[in-house]
Amino acid sequence: MTPELDGFRDAVRRFVDGEVAPHQQRWREQQHVDRDLWHKGGAMGILCADIPEQYGGSGGSFAHQAIVFEELGYCGDMAFGIHVHAIVAHYLLNQGTEAQKLKYLPKLASGEMVAAIAMSEPGAGSDLKGIRTTAVKTADGYKVNGSKTFISNGYLADLVVVVVKTDADAGAKGVSLLLMETKENPGFRVGRILEKVGQKGQDTCELFFDNAHVALDNVLGGAEGQGFAQLMTELPYERTILGVAGVAAIERALRLTIDHTRERRAFGQALIEMQNTRFVLAEIKTEATIARIFIDRCIAETIAGRMDTVTASMAKYWISDLQCKVIDQCVQLFGGYGYMLEYPIAQMYVDARVQRIYGGANEIMKEIIARSL
């Protein structure tokens, strides 16, 4: 942290306190954030905080973007899909043609367009080689057919990076990423917003493609067959983000539980005065400190452009596992109140579980790490 980053954090915290935190319950009920939030986030400069100014971004480093993710985590937000939005922006920045960057990045930075990435299918999750969505090249573009599921930002998305097979017989080399604009695209259809265990304010949807149109020059990077390599290159950024969010959740859970155990009394004393409570909190504080040191190193490596697949996989798997374990322990210390959704710790409990699944299931993360041994 620097004085400049401290000032940025203060501004982001004020934005989150005013525009995000007060609306969590309403967004859970309507299953998506307000569209206007994206415009406000764009005006604030937080949607693409680490994208260069020449492409409409704020020109900061990953430290700036990590601060945004942390502050959203500290307020308990799991609705504002800025994480996926930032991931798509980096696909464009690092893998797109110059024309693609100039066309789309300013619109993502301003909130004019909301972005999603469509990987998972009903029969293909972590195994991306098993996707069945196809794209056939025609004289005026690509015709995309198939379906995707579990797509965050799917309901509001204006731009979707769709993982498709452009050559069904070429294996991984037949995978391409297409930039699909959703508006006035008659072959594109959004299915229902899925009823999840947690993260109910996040618009996670099914997407359907029935000869959906993609322009010829909207193959990410300008050439077919690069999709799998592009995915492998960009997934460490996504997994680092999940680690950042996980540590923020751990730190918030610890803070909430310390406050509760100081106030809650049993058998004539505050819960925090009981040895079991103190020992559990001591363990959590130690683990939270270790996680913070690790993720700070990951942030530094990402800023330096050195973040690798194995380290990102370690961060994603270990921190998300720890997040679920810590929050479960905190729920226990809240007692019956910890099972009531009006208490933030209960909401954190149901929101946390998917962290071990999306971004690549933790079992896949361990396989990636094992291959480096």
Side-chain angles (χ1 to χ4, degrees):
M1 295 298 292
T2 65
E4 187 269 330
L5 287 171
D6 286 333
F8 180 72
R9 185 184 291 278
D10 288 342
V12 173
R13 183 168 296 172
R14 288 194 297 272
F15 177 85
V16 170
D17 288 345
E19 302 292 347
V20 179
H23 307 294
Q24 293 296 301
Q25 183 57 37
R26 180 167 60 81
W27 290 341
R28 282 192 285 267
E29 291 170 358
Q30 71 184 23
Q31 295 186 294
H32 60 85
V33 302
D34 301 330
R35 186 64 178 80
D36 189 50
L37 179 65
W38 288 97
H39 297 296
K40 291 177 179 178
M44 180 66 190
I46 63 172
L47 300 185
C48 293
D50 58 351
I51 296 297
E53 292 180 2
Q54 71 189 90
Y55 300 120
S58 298
S61 71
F62 183 66
H64 294 83
Q65 199 68 66
I67 285 170
V68 176
F69 301 142
E70 285 180 353
E71 291 303 319
L72 289 170
Y74 291 150
C75 92
D77 173 73
M78 296 301 293
F80 193 11
I82 191 173
H83 307 76
V84 173
H85 192 83
I87 291 165
V88 171
H90 275 262
Y91 271 89
L92 280 159
L93 178 67
N94 299 326
Q95 308 295 336
T97 65
E98 189 66 15
Q100 290 168 350
K101 297 176 194 178
L102 292 170
K103 181 177 181 180
Y104 290 117
L105 283 174
K107 294 178 181 179
L108 297 186
S110 69
E112 178 183 344
M113 297 187 90
V114 176
I117 183 162
M119 296 188 200
S120 296
E121 297 181 5
S126 296
D127 180 14
L128 293 174
K129 293 179 183 178
I131 64 167
R132 296 184 178 181
T133 299
T134 61
V136 177
K137 193 173 184 178
T138 65
D140 64 342
Y142 289 86
K143 297 298 182 185
V144 179
N145 287 278
S147 64
K148 299 289 183 178
T149 193
F150 312 138
I151 309 305
S152 300
N153 291 349
Y155 181 73
L156 294 174
D158 306 286
L159 181 70
V160 182
V161 176
V162 187
V163 184
V164 300
K165 285 280 185 71
T166 45
D167 186 343
D169 299 321
K173 294 182 179 179
V175 175
S176 302
L177 305 186
L178 302 185
L179 301 168
M180 179 182 291
E181 296 187 28
T182 65
K183 305 307 179 188
E184 299 181 3
N185 192 339
F188 171 81
R189 180 169 64 87
V190 178
R192 61 193 175 98
I193 298 179
L194 300 169
E195 186 67 27
K196 304 185 297 294
V197 171
Q199 300 193 9
K200 291 181 180 291
Q202 167 60 247
D203 55 323
T204 306
C205 296
E206 300 170 312
L207 303 181
F208 298 96
F209 315 103
D210 183 9
N211 286 329
H213 176 76
V214 174
L216 285 172
D217 55 0
N218 273 26
V219 181
L220 186 66
E224 295 180 12
Q226 299 180 353
F228 198 77
Q230 291 168 335
L231 288 166
M232 294 304 101
T233 301
E234 297 303 318
L235 281 171
Y237 182 85
E238 175 179 354
R239 289 163 181 166
T240 303
I241 288 174
L242 293 174
V244 171
V247 172
I250 291 167
E251 292 171 340
R252 181 178 189 242
L254 176 61
R255 185 183 73 245
L256 290 172
T257 308
I258 290 172
D259 290 344
H260 174 77
T261 55
R262 282 175 174 163
E263 297 171 1
R264 180 73 173 167
R265 298 184 66 81
F267 304 104
Q269 60 183 327
L271 287 182
I272 201 167
E273 296 173 359
M274 298 178 175
Q275 186 182 71
N276 178 70
T277 303
R278 295 166 67 83
F279 281 12
V280 170
L281 292 174
E283 292 172 5
I284 294 173
K285 183 174 177 62
T286 302
E287 291 170 325
T289 301
I290 294 168
R292 168 52 61 187
I293 292 169
F294 181 28
I295 202 61
D296 280 353
R297 180 193 167 200
C298 292
I299 293 169
E301 291 294 288
T302 301
I303 292 169
R306 295 191 299 261
M307 192 58 171
D308 62 274
T309 299
V310 172
T311 305
S313 299
M314 292 177 182
K316 193 274 175 182
Y317 121 71
W318 184 75
I319 292 171
S320 62
D321 270 7
L322 181 64
Q323 177 184 353
C324 290
K325 177 190 135 184
V326 163
I327 293 174
D328 181 72
Q329 291 174 307
C330 291
V331 166
Q332 190 71 18
L333 292 177
F334 270 80
Y337 295 104
Y339 204 62
M340 301 297 111
L341 282 173
E342 64 189 86
Y343 278 73
I345 197 66
Q347 191 63 56
M348 294 180 71
Y349 181 81
V350 294
D351 287 343
R353 183 59 180 85
V354 75
Q355 284 269 109
R356 293 161 59 190
I357 298 172
Y358 59 20
N362 283 4
E363 291 77 13
I364 302 298
M365 300 302 97
K366 293 176 185 178
E367 180 63 28
I368 292 170
I369 297 163
R371 289 173 185 172
S372 71
L373 301 178

